[in-house]
């Protein structure tokens, strides 16, 4: 019973173009969403987050968009760089920290950025 | 200067053995977690501790027992290992309202 879904296991994008990674969720109680990035043989690292009171959050080349009615969020990377090649995990929680960190993860999307 | 460290990085063992994975964080965080990433790549929480107190205990066989000797350490002991325990185990830590920082993972292979 996956409450957070990333339906694209992989995405390939040319350097300089936009990468769009998608995530859907089923639990309407989720109100805090995160993206983590993972390189091989390393643990996930926090990238960007968004609260449900917002519909957009931007940090440099990374922007997360949240569509609550569609229970959908997306991560945009512009411009994409070869160093962005990694697995990207979408995660969600009910209340930021209110349940002491119970995060629900998607199964990840492998992004490959080619020169 | 590793923030969240785990040992060992790789662990290969026979079915039925007992093994431990250690986790330490030097970030001064109050909360620590264990996650399991299975062969289908799903990352699922197993346990979380806040100030040495067990907070989250997912549906995990009681062969898995976390131990938190202090705020900076959360070890995972697994008894009577089974083939299905093969996975990558990640430790993480956070402040109560903060983002989680993950360790590099321990790849456990049960033969």
């Amino acid at each position: 019973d996956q409450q957070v879904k990333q339906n694209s296991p992989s995405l390939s994008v040319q350097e300089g173009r936009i990468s769009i990674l998608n995530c859907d969720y089923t639990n309407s109680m989720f109100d805090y969403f995160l993206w983590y990035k993972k390189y091989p043989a390393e643990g996930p690292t926090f990238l960007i987050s968004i609260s449900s009171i917002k519909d957009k959050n931007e940090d440099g080349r990374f922007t997360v968009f949240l569509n609550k009615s569609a229970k959908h969020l997306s991560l945009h990377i512009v411009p994409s760089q070869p160093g962005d090649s990694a697995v990207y995990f979408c995660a969600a929680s009910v209340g930021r920290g209110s349940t002491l960190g119970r995060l629900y993860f998607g199964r990840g999307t492998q992004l490959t950025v080619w020169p | 200067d590793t923030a969240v460290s785990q040992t060992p990085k790789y662990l290969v063992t026979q079915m039925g053995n007992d093994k431990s994975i250690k986790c330490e964080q030097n970030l001064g965080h109050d909360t620590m977690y264990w996650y399991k990433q299975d062969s289908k790549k799903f990352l699922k929480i197993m346990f979380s501790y806040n100030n040495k107190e067990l907070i989250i205990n997912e549906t995990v066989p009681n062969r898995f027992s976390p131990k938190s000797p202090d705020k900076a350490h959360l070890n995972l002991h697994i008894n009577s290992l089974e083939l299905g325990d093969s996975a990558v185990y990640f430790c993480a830590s956070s402040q109560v309202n903060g983002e989680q920082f993950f360790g590099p993972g321990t790849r456990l292979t049960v033969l």
Side-chain angles (χ1 to χ4, degrees):
Chain A
D1 179 28
Q2 281 299 114
Q3 300 186 56
V4 178
K5 298 177 184 178
Q6 294 176 257
N7 293 320
S8 298
S10 63
L11 174 68
S12 183
V13 170
Q14 188 175 25
E15 182 178 8
R17 303 269 188 154
I18 184 171
S19 295
I20 300 176
L21 296 104
N22 293 305
C23 177
D24 298 294
Y25 60 97
T26 57
N27 188 341
S28 57
M29 297 295 291
F30 288 149
D31 58 2
Y32 190 66
F33 305 89
L34 309 89
W35 284 94
Y36 279 81
K37 174 179 178 179
K38 184 184 179 303
Y39 292 117
E42 295 183 11
T45 55
F46 169 73
L47 190 58
I48 192 169
S49 62
I50 188 167
S51 164
S52 61
I53 61 173
K54 295 184 174 182
D55 54 19
K56 177 183 173 181
N57 188 26
E58 193 172 347
D59 183 2
R61 296 185 298 113
F62 302 91
T63 303
V64 56
F65 295 91
L66 175 62
N67 182 333
K68 288 187 290 293
S69 60
K71 293 194 181 71
H72 177 84
L73 64 154
S74 60
L75 174 68
H76 293 212
I77 307 174
V78 184
S80 301
Q81 299 173 354
D84 296 329
S85 297
V87 176
Y88 289 78
F89 288 98
C90 174
S93 69
V94 177
R96 181 182 178 183
S98 66
T99 52
L100 287 170
R102 187 187 293 270
L103 289 179
Y104 296 84
F105 282 86
R107 62 188 294 181
T109 296
Q110 171 70 56
L111 173 65
T112 303
V113 180
W114 48 280
Chain B
D1 207 18
T2 309
V4 182
S5 59
Q6 295 178 230
T7 53
K9 194 166 177 64
Y10 300 96
L11 185 52
V12 181
T13 188
Q14 298 286 333
M15 257 185 6
N17 284 350
D18 302 339
K19 290 293 178 186
S20 292
I21 306 172
K22 295 186 176 182
C23 177
E24 176 181 2
Q25 55 96 2
N26 62 8
L27 298 166
H29 289 162
D30 295 320
T31 309
M32 296 186 71
Y33 314 81
W34 277 109
Y35 285 85
K36 178 180 179 181
Q37 186 180 32
D38 60 23
S39 57
K40 294 182 180 178
K41 305 301 181 187
F42 291 119
L43 254 175
K44 290 185 180 175
I45 192 164
M46 300 173 69
F47 303 101
S48 89
Y49 270 73
N50 180 253
N51 281 321
K52 296 171 51 182
E53 182 183 345
L54 181 65
I55 301 299
I56 295 174
N57 186 350
E58 287 294 283
T59 308
V60 175
N62 57 16
R63 298 182 294 104
F64 289 78
S65 52
K67 294 281 192 308
S68 182
D70 54 58
K71 256 176 46 169
H73 296 85
L74 181 62
N75 303 323
L76 184 65
H77 189 75
I78 315 170
N79 289 330
S80 304
L81 277 155
E82 300 177 357
L83 293 177
D85 297 333
S86 295
V88 182
Y89 292 84
F90 289 98
C91 176
S93 74
S94 73
Q95 293 291 24
V96 173
N97 290 320
E99 282 68 37
Q100 295 180 25
F101 290 75
F102 284 78
T106 295
R107 182 173 293 277
L108 171 65
T109 303
V110 182
L111 303 175

